[in-house]
Amino acid sequence: MSEGAAKKEEKPRKFQAIRGTRDLLPPETTLWNHVEQTAHEVFATFGFGEIRVPIFERTDLFARAVGGETDIVSKEMYTFVDRSEKLEPDPTIGSMNVFFQKVRELYKSGEIPPEDQDEIALKLAEDQWKKVDNLLSGMSKSENAGTDIYTLVLLYDALRLGTRVSLRPEATASVCRVYIEHGMQQLPQPVKLYYMGPMFRRERPQKGRYRQFYQIGAEVLGGSDAPAIDAEVIEMVMMFFDRLELQGVQLDINSIGCRECRPKYVELLRAELLKVKDQLGPDSQRRIETNPLRVLDSKLESEQGIIAKLPRIADHLCEDCATHYSAVKHQLEMRGVIYRENWRLVRGLDYYMRTTFEITAQGLGSQNAVCGGGRYDGLVELLGGPPTKGIGFAIGEDRLILSLQESGKAPAQQGRDVYIAWMGERAHATAIRAAKDLRKAGFSVELPPVEQKFGKALGQADKLGAKYALILGDNEVSEGLWTLKTLADGSQAKYTEPDLLEHLRKQKALKL
Ligand code: HAM
């Protein structure tokens, strides 16, 4: 290897954020905090309490709730096996038998929740182990001992030695688990909860679509499916967007029926789609079998004319669903919430029934949904809880922020209030005390750690966007009169310590 090549190799690797993840930096984080603070305030006025749930849960919780066939569960989850501590450390050659026995026991007791392929994988590994054991003890011979041992290693690696867990792709499933686990049906109903935090989906990243993204969501769980609940949840999210002055907000609503009427509609849709199958693209052709409703979601230009002629679910709702849907619309009108009916609005998660809605905003390109939600009666029951009604939404916070930024709502760089320019040891001590007092009073203060010439200090104060420079030199300290320079106009005045604080307080109150 040449010397040059060796040097190149030595160079430390440059780390970068993983594809689809982002670093959120100041000053943008100020806007994130503002959005989140507004959510806390608005949601509290509707009586919602904050809930914080784990970032990962058992994979089968999401599979059961969101649906095993959905894109989210079948393709996009970050899943790993959380190995049982009882199976640590790795077995030695001599303890393989005992190890297999232990794995079997853990599957049986449910401590490692059993899955379909486990039995086969365990049997294959055990058989291979017997073969290798015979080889090693000299009871049999093989031309390919190396291959036999390597096969055993591969089969061992394929064993599932713990519970499968996934990074949460959404939080509705977790909130329902919490409702059951904490016996929340005993609380006054409905229970109104909201959450905010990162979610993970292994999607193809693009503007507004990330693999780690943030949601602000809310859920209402309880015994009632009164249409006023649907309308109030929607009113709340619209009020939140209004407070943030989000531009170009468009609310689309639909009803996708219930267990009674939807299957009949889906069959009708499938039959109609089969008639025009040849004119559809490969994705939609596949969906005729797997999930015909998702064909309505298609953005393919060539399919739009065909989709427009398909039967609409609103014409096929059962009486209860139709009544519920028209009451939701009436309730929205009573609240002055402007909506558009969109019969093609089907959502990509299996748990929805009746009311579904989506909100779009401006400046987002193709990923323009800032909020999605709907009713999911029966989900709690599906997860092993009591019969419960539910409705909620989740806002894509990344997209919300993008839209706010596009419409000029970016926060100004957060400058310091006061930069303390000090020179000399005595002045340093005074500067430290002044910084403490000013910070206690709520001012943002920059206190340089080492002495600087005044000229340099003022330049630095300017760069940091400070409003004032507090100048502390020998003179100021011995006189007890501190010089305050207003950086915008260069004016200067002297104050005693208490007067200075008073002056700054007044200026702040006047927002100067
Ligand atoms: P969702 O429609 O899958 O619903 O997600 C809600 C919102 O999260 C989307 O409208 C979008 O703004 C944002 N979002 C989703 N995926 C990404 C991504 N990869 N990058 C950036 N933003 C994204 C749910 O998650 C349901 N749990 C909502 C719900 C709550 N329904 C009832 N309760």
Side-chain angles (χ1 to χ4, degrees):
M1 196 190 289
S2 74
E3 210 179 300
K7 269 214 177 110
K8 220 177 193 177
E9 277 209 349
E10 274 169 27
K11 229 173 140 187
R13 193 194 166 89
K14 253 199 193 158
F15 291 105
Q16 286 186 328
I18 305 272
R19 185 169 141 80
T21 71
R22 303 188 297 155
D23 303 306
L24 304 173
L25 310 174
E28 194 184 303
T29 37
T30 310
L31 183 56
W32 283 75
N33 282 327
H34 168 63
V35 163
E36 289 166 14
Q37 188 50 41
T38 307
H40 289 301
E41 286 168 21
V42 173
F43 295 178
T45 64
F46 283 78
F48 281 68
E50 188 185 359
I51 178 170
R52 299 188 187 195
V53 292
I55 296 285
F56 58 96
E57 298 261 9
R58 271 175 55 163
T59 303
D60 49 359
L61 171 72
F62 300 119
R64 176 81 71 94
V66 176
E69 298 298 318
T70 59
D71 283 355
I72 295 178
V73 169
S74 66
K75 302 193 226 162
E76 298 170 359
M77 286 206 298
Y78 286 91
T79 298
F80 57 98
V81 171
D82 190 12
R83 185 176 170 148
S84 164
E85 284 128 14
K86 296 205 172 130
L87 295 174
E88 283 167 351
D90 277 328
T92 59
I93 288 281
S95 66
M96 278 305 255
N97 265 336
V98 184
F99 181 79
F100 285 131
Q101 189 56 37
K102 243 199 250 168
V103 176
R104 208 173 280 288
E105 278 165 18
L106 292 178
Y107 286 163
K108 223 185 214 157
S109 68
E111 220 172 305
I112 298 181
E115 287 177 16
D116 285 350
Q117 308 301 323
D118 289 341
E119 267 303 315
I120 302 170
L122 199 58
K123 177 89 174 60
L124 286 173
E126 266 179 322
D127 288 351
Q128 188 65 19
W129 159 242
K130 276 178 202 147
K131 198 167 169 189
V132 170
D133 193 31
N134 286 340
L135 275 179
L136 294 176
S137 58
M139 281 168 67
S140 68
K141 284 208 161 47
S142 163
E143 300 271 288
N144 302 315
T147 311
D148 284 330
I149 292 173
Y150 187 56
T151 307
L152 175 62
V153 172
L154 290 181
L155 289 171
Y156 172 81
D157 280 346
L159 286 178
R160 202 172 52 86
L161 302 179
T163 309
R164 221 179 282 278
V165 297
S166 299
L167 300 186
R168 59 183 190 194
E170 61 108 52
T172 309
S174 303
V175 173
C176 289
R177 175 192 56 71
V178 169
Y179 185 84
I180 302 166
E181 190 168 335
H182 296 267
M184 285 182 161
Q185 72 270 22
Q186 312 296 347
L187 301 174
Q189 305 289 301
V191 173
K192 301 196 264 187
L193 299 165
Y194 75 94
Y195 51 85
M196 46 184 81
M199 308 290 157
F200 304 85
R201 294 183 195 174
R202 204 168 172 287
E203 295 191 83
R204 199 169 42 78
Q206 63 180 88
K207 180 184 170 191
R209 187 159 75 194
Y210 312 101
R211 292 182 167 182
Q212 173 171 341
F213 61 99
Y214 294 78
Q215 281 188 344
I216 300 178
E219 316 288 351
V220 180
L221 291 154
S224 166
D225 62 357
I229 298 180
D230 306 43
E232 196 180 68
V233 162
I234 296 175
E235 182 191 10
M236 178 169 92
V237 64
M238 294 301 271
M239 192 184 269
F240 170 58
F241 286 159
D242 198 47
R243 270 277 295 276
L244 292 172
E245 295 176 52
L246 185 66
Q247 301 297 305
V249 177
Q250 163 78 54
L251 163 67
D252 279 15
I253 63 164
N254 192 20
S255 172
I256 57 165
C258 65
R259 240 168 280 144
E260 289 300 311
C261 52
R262 192 175 43 222
K264 289 180 203 151
Y265 169 71
V266 170
E267 271 327 301
L268 176 71
L269 191 62
R270 182 174 278 135
E272 289 303 311
L273 284 168
L274 281 172
K275 289 184 198 160
V276 291
K277 186 171 176 180
D278 297 348
Q279 300 163 51
L280 299 171
D283 279 347
S284 292
Q285 288 199 2
R286 204 167 8 89
R287 285 181 174 146
I288 297 180
E289 289 315 317
T290 55
N291 191 352
L293 281 175
R294 292 304 303 274
V295 176
L296 305 181
D297 236 3
S298 162
K299 307 260 180 326
L300 257 185
E301 203 45 58
S302 59
E303 295 180 345
Q304 301 309 307
I306 304 162
I307 293 172
K309 292 193 205 114
L310 291 169
R312 306 184 168 204
I313 190 152
D315 302 327
H316 298 273
L317 294 175
C318 63
E319 210 181 314
D320 284 353
C321 286
T323 310
H324 191 270
Y325 186 38
S326 53
V328 170
K329 288 185 276 184
H330 176 63
Q331 287 286 336
L332 285 171
E333 283 148 24
M334 282 170 68
R335 288 166 172 76
V337 175
I338 296 165
Y339 62 85
R340 179 175 75 178
E341 282 184 81
N342 178 357
W343 69 278
R344 287 176 56 177
L345 177 65
V346 292
R347 311 251 311 119
L349 301 89
D350 279 359
Y351 49 61
Y352 291 115
M353 51 116 42
R354 290 194 174 165
T355 314
T356 53
F357 57 96
E358 227 159 66
I359 302 170
T360 52
Q362 81 177 25
L364 291 173
S366 65
Q367 302 301 312
N368 64 350
V370 277
C371 174
R375 179 162 280 290
Y376 49 85
D377 301 347
L379 177 57
V380 167
E381 209 171 345
L382 183 72
L383 299 176
T388 308
K389 315 284 186 194
I391 183 164
F393 64 79
I395 294 160
E397 193 176 357
D398 308 72
R399 294 183 191 176
L400 172 57
I401 301 267
L402 264 175
S403 181
L404 290 172
Q405 286 169 332
E406 297 274 331
S407 56
K409 291 270 171 334
Q413 176 83 36
Q414 196 84 76
R416 313 291 191 281
D417 293 316
V418 183
Y419 189 99
I420 304 185
W422 59 270
M423 268 188 87
E425 263 322 293
R426 275 178 67 210
H428 193 190
T430 309
I432 290 171
R433 191 163 48 77
K436 185 176 276 176
D437 290 344
L438 285 165
R439 285 170 177 151
K440 268 190 194 158
F443 294 100
S444 127
V445 177
E446 191 65 29
L447 175 66
V450 289
E451 189 174 67
Q452 291 168 325
K453 295 253 160 55
F454 283 127
K456 190 173 172 208
L458 292 177
Q460 194 70 11
D462 228 23
K463 268 194 213 142
L464 289 174
K467 288 195 196 88
Y468 303 99
L470 175 59
I471 300 171
L472 294 176
D474 279 343
N475 285 347
E476 278 80 5
V477 175
S478 44
E479 281 174 18
L481 280 177
W482 298 357
T483 305
L484 188 72
K485 189 178 172 86
T486 306
L487 289 163
D489 59 11
S491 64
Q492 240 169 256
K494 291 199 167 207
Y495 297 92
T496 61
E497 190 177 347
D499 284 353
L500 178 101
L501 223 80
E502 200 42 47
H503 171 72
L504 287 176
R505 274 209 186 98
K506 272 191 195 143
Q507 297 293 304
K508 193 170 193 168
L510 294 171
K511 295 206 165 48
L512 287 174

